[in-house]
Amino acid sequence: MSSLAALFERNRAWARRITERDPTFFKSLAEQQNPKHLWIGCADSRVPANEIVGLMPGELFVHRNVANVVIHTDLNCLSVLQYAVDVLKVEHVIVCGHYGCGGVRAAYAKSSLGLIDNWLRHVQDVRDRHEHVLAQIDDEDARIDRLCEFNVIAQVVHVCQTTIVQDAWTRGQGLTVHGWIYRLNDGLLRDLGWEIASDDQLKSLASHRPS
């Protein structure tokens, strides 16, 4: 059996298990999605968003890219954010990075990988902004993990600065943006303490932003 044929077989087995547990699951799923959370995470195959938080399909709206970057000119990410906030009315936007992120490591090391170097330039900007803090950490892996945290915080701020989130707050829509990070070797999430529900909160936290 080819590897692709095996994927179809696994799909059929998964669908059977779900149907046995809840015969109406797929019918209900096809009729609507009503997630309360948008997850902006890394494209790393070891970080499956739904499974990490124990949610089923339809319960978590997801956008993923290399190193969980939010750029104000990335229409893909902004379209997901706008649909989640304006149409689905999600209540929480979670930016989740992970320790040991290959994209962050490449940005830290200034590796030359091709086209993706242009994307990771944004993470390099975060590295440069915190270079003096990172230089005080002796262990390289620990430095990269700290940069993973700094990168999440930077992207949380970027989410909050979008016109999408700013407009939602202006009209009084309940929306909170969070910064989390995931550790691969134990499967646990960590809250980085960035929970922002208003522009005033953003300004207050940004004034105490790690540097």
Side-chain angles (χ1 to χ4, degrees):
M1 180 184 294
S2 73
S3 60
L4 292 181
L7 293 182
F8 279 103
E9 182 56 37
R10 290 182 181 184
N11 166 252
R12 287 189 287 269
W14 171 77
R16 281 196 301 271
R17 288 195 302 271
I18 295 292
T19 303
E20 287 168 3
R21 213 160 47 226
D22 180 0
T24 66
F25 176 81
F26 288 110
K27 182 178 184 299
S28 299
L29 186 66
E31 290 173 352
Q32 67 172 355
Q33 63 169 332
N34 189 32
K36 299 298 182 186
H37 310 83
L38 167 63
W39 175 284
I40 300 176
C42 184
D44 192 302
S45 60
R46 300 168 296 176
V47 191
N50 284 71
E51 292 183 35
I52 287 173
V53 291
L55 293 178
M56 293 294 289
E59 296 181 324
L60 186 69
F61 205 57
V62 177
H63 174 79
R64 296 169 68 180
N65 63 55
V66 175
N68 43 272
V69 171
V70 178
I71 303 168
H72 298 156
T73 54
D74 179 5
L75 295 183
N76 186 351
C77 181
L78 294 183
S79 295
V80 171
L81 179 62
Q82 187 269 329
Y83 188 82
V85 171
D86 293 350
V87 180
L88 296 177
K89 305 295 184 185
V90 298
E91 298 171 3
H92 302 274
V93 177
I94 300 161
V95 178
C96 187
H98 65 97
Y99 293 117
C101 178
V104 173
R105 182 178 291 274
Y108 170 81
K110 301 181 182 178
S111 302
S112 180
L113 301 175
L115 179 65
I116 196 173
D117 297 347
N118 299 280
W119 181 260
L120 295 178
R121 176 69 253 181
H122 301 284
V123 183
Q124 290 175 7
D125 290 342
V126 178
R127 179 206 61 203
D128 293 347
R129 190 181 312 131
H130 301 288
E131 189 170 14
H132 64 293
V133 175
L134 297 173
Q136 297 173 29
I137 303 172
D138 292 332
D139 180 72
E140 182 176 85
D141 287 339
R143 283 198 299 273
I144 292 168
D145 281 350
R146 187 64 174 129
L147 179 55
C148 290
E149 295 175 350
F150 284 141
N151 184 51
V152 168
I153 293 169
Q155 309 316 321
V156 166
V157 172
H158 291 167
V159 170
C160 293
Q161 290 173 335
T162 63
T163 56
I164 299 157
V165 172
Q166 290 284 316
D167 289 348
W169 286 340
T170 297
R171 62 178 176 261
Q173 182 174 339
L175 181 66
T176 306
V177 184
H178 309 261
W180 294 359
I181 197 159
Y182 175 72
R183 192 177 293 279
L184 293 167
N185 60 14
D186 63 13
L188 297 178
L189 288 164
R190 178 187 169 201
D191 188 340
L192 291 176
W194 280 65
E195 182 175 299
I196 307 174
S198 70
D199 195 45
D200 287 341
Q201 268 189 298
L202 170 62
K203 291 172 181 174
S204 176
L205 270 174
S207 68
H208 298 91
R209 195 171 175 178
S211 59

